[in-house]
Amino acid sequence: DAKTTQPNSMESNEEEPVHLPCNHSTISGTDYIHWYRQLPSQGPEYVIHGLTSNVNNRMASLAIAEDRKSSTLILHRATLRDAAVYYCILRRLSGSARQLTFGSGTQLTVLP
Amino acid sequence: GAGVSQSPRYKVAKRGQDVALRCDPISGHVSLFWYQQALGQGPEFLTYFQNEAQLDKSGLPSDRFFAERPEGSVSTLKIQRTQQEDSAVYLCASSLGELEYNEQFFGPGTRLTVL
């Protein structure tokens, strides 16, 4: 699978929007962009995924660049419960690998 | 509804002991994964089952690691002759189907400490 690059850490103030960037310059046309997050002492949880178009769900929005070489996870109003490690992961359609390949992710700190 | 459960949540083993970690996936989920997460790192893939078939075990670090899912539901990860480097959180995840964009649901993990 193609590699992703994320900042090691970011800070946000509570109730402000947060934009978490991810670079994936070697993405292929059949790679889905997935985001998972891991709260302290818990297993990862799915946040959102997309292929080409921007996506919204109750947790977040995913903005995908037109060339698909980067994407941004948007938390519209950060809360203290959003403090977690956020992972940007590419998953290839019809690839042989079914597993998620996690990088080191972005540690998000939310300040009260 | 019931999510993925894992037991025990914590396990302390003396070096050389065998351990067995259990995963109860969400009912009806076809795919089951095991991951290992060292302190401060992202999870790393160990093995994958589709129903009872182990389709990928390329991530198992040594032949001391063995996983099974005999009836296509509950899975057990067994580590023989544990070593200190086996200390980690072991995560289990399941997903409804086998497609690459299917969401994976993770359990809380088992924290293994080998003394």
Side-chain angles (χ1 to χ4, degrees), chain B residues 1-6 23-27 29 92-94 105-108:
Chain B
V4 177
S5 61
Q6 293 186 246
C23 172
D24 283 83
I26 294 172
S27 177
H29 277 198
C92 175
S94 69
F105 294 83
F106 283 80

Side-chain angles (χ1 to χ4, degrees), chain B residues 2-41:
Chain B
V4 177
S5 61
Q6 293 186 246
S7 60
R9 288 294 312 278
Y10 302 91
K11 177 69 178 178
V12 178
K14 292 183 179 178
R15 189 161 55 93
Q17 281 185 332
D18 297 348
V19 298
L21 312 180
R22 178 186 169 105
C23 172
D24 283 83
I26 294 172
S27 177
H29 277 198
V30 167
S31 297
L32 186 144
F33 303 82
W34 284 97
Y35 295 85
Q36 180 190 58
Q37 185 169 26
L39 191 63
Q41 306 293 318

